[in-house]
Amino acid sequence: MGFLKNNINKIVLCFFGLLFFIIIIKKVLDPNLSKYKYFDQHCNGKVISNIYDLTTHFNIVKSSDGNKIYLEDLNIISLIKPGDSLVKNKDVTYFTVYKKDKSKIVYDMYNKQIKILK
């Protein structure tokens, strides 16, 4: 292995190996790591379908604007019906469901808390 005979090559290899290791440790020890998966999901429209996906093992709520929200809590999944309006902004962990009977449901995806407002 002639690549590791030169000291400069060893230093460069160790530097990138250490950098890669530090990035992995930082991601593992990040307290907000589980929140990041909820930030990029966004939606603003009427619920078209609410189906279970066997490949991801999540319920996928599709809306009329073409976006999807992945849910895993059965308490909120049972409350969302086709025809309800769903609003979720980007970079937040909660969304709002406006029901046909004029009630409003606010659900925090990270803390799994439901607030029903009449």
Side-chain angles (χ1 to χ4, degrees):
M1 198 184 258
F3 176 73
L4 294 176
K5 288 184 179 178
N6 193 351
N7 283 339
I8 297 293
N9 292 343
K10 290 179 188 177
I11 292 171
V12 170
L13 185 64
C14 287
F15 172 74
F16 283 112
L18 184 64
L19 182 68
F20 186 67
F21 181 74
I22 289 172
I23 290 171
I24 290 174
I25 294 298
K26 183 180 174 196
K27 291 280 187 186
V28 169
L29 297 178
D30 188 7
N32 293 324
L33 181 65
S34 60
K35 278 188 176 182
Y36 294 141
K37 66 181 177 181
Y38 302 120
F39 286 156
D40 289 335
Q41 299 182 38
H42 64 300
C43 173
N44 189 3
K46 291 206 179 270
V47 175
I48 295 175
S49 68
N50 183 1
I51 57 171
Y52 182 75
D53 185 27
L54 292 173
T55 57
T56 60
H57 300 290
F58 284 100
N59 266 61
I60 300 176
V61 178
K62 294 181 184 178
S63 69
S64 60
D65 65 349
N67 292 323
K68 303 175 194 172
I69 291 184
Y70 297 90
L71 298 173
E72 52 191 343
D73 189 7
L74 290 176
N75 294 328
I76 189 66
I77 293 167
S78 62
L79 294 174
I80 298 175
K81 305 289 183 218
D84 296 340
S85 295
L86 185 67
V87 176
K88 178 170 181 326
N89 295 325
K90 217 171 189 173
D91 298 330
V92 294
T93 61
Y94 62 90
F95 65 85
T96 307
V97 179
Y98 296 95
K99 303 289 287 174
K100 293 178 186 176
D101 63 353
K102 307 276 191 227
S103 64
K104 181 166 74 167
I105 301 170
V106 179
Y107 179 68
D108 187 355
M109 298 168 76
Y110 180 67
N111 296 322
K112 296 188 179 9
Q113 294 177 346
I114 299 173
K115 293 181 186 176
I116 299 175
L117 307 170
K118 298 262 176 183

